[in-house]
Amino acid sequence: MALTSEASAVWNGDLPSGSGQITLDSSQLATFSYNWKARSEGENGVSTPEELIAAAHAGCFAMAFSNELATAGHTATRVSAKAAVTFDPSQGGITGSHLVVDAEVPGISEDEFQQIAAAAKAGCPVSKALAGITITLEATLAS
């Protein structure tokens, strides 16, 4: 069964001084303010499209990694994932996503852990959607 998730955005004004709202329409969980200053320089309390992509990538990767572990016969006690998406206007926009995962997985070797993490990075649907950018991975097996 296919599921379509929806979000919407409203922008007011020109790019440098304008601002807008991004709304998570499907879940109705949140509306976020966004503007060019936050996107190009950083600004507390204001989101960016890249932050929302990072949230999607981290969440998707954590799920994909958990699934890959289960397929290999391992159950994670905890998977903690973070994605850092880089936006560089001088390079044409979004240039990369760096995934950082820290997980507790009883009974797995470091080599198998790294192999499964790499497979999850490649198989994650959001990673596939971001195929036009560089995706890097830093995976740590917690003791």
Side-chain angles (χ1 to χ4, degrees), residues 95-115:
T95 58
S97 182
H98 181 65
L99 292 166
V100 177
V101 63
D102 178 82
E104 293 176 25
V105 186
I108 194 170
S109 71
E110 179 68 30
D111 285 345
E112 186 178 14
F113 178 83
Q114 293 298 329
Q115 290 172 0

Side-chain angles (χ1 to χ4, degrees), residues 14 88 93:
D14 63 6
D88 185 346

Side-chain angles (χ1 to χ4, degrees), residues 10-111:
V10 174
W11 185 262
N12 301 298
D14 63 6
L15 182 60
S17 62
S19 64
Q21 299 280 316
I22 298 171
T23 301
L24 305 180
D25 295 328
S26 297
S27 65
Q28 299 180 353
L29 287 176
T31 297
F32 303 97
S33 297
Y34 74 120
N35 62 39
W36 179 250
K37 182 179 180 187
R39 192 170 193 193
S40 61
E41 300 173 28
E43 182 177 350
N44 288 334
V46 181
S47 191
T48 66
E50 292 73 29
E51 182 178 35
L52 297 174
I53 291 169
H57 203 188
C60 184
F61 176 80
M63 294 171 76
F65 188 43
S66 178
N67 184 56
E68 290 284 341
L69 286 165
T71 300
H74 300 283
T75 301
T77 304
R78 177 189 52 80
V79 173
S80 176
K82 182 177 183 175
V85 173
T86 301
F87 176 76
D88 185 346
S90 71
Q91 297 296 313
I94 298 171
T95 58
S97 182
H98 181 65
L99 292 166
V100 177
V101 63
D102 178 82
E104 293 176 25
V105 186
I108 194 170
S109 71
E110 179 68 30
D111 285 345

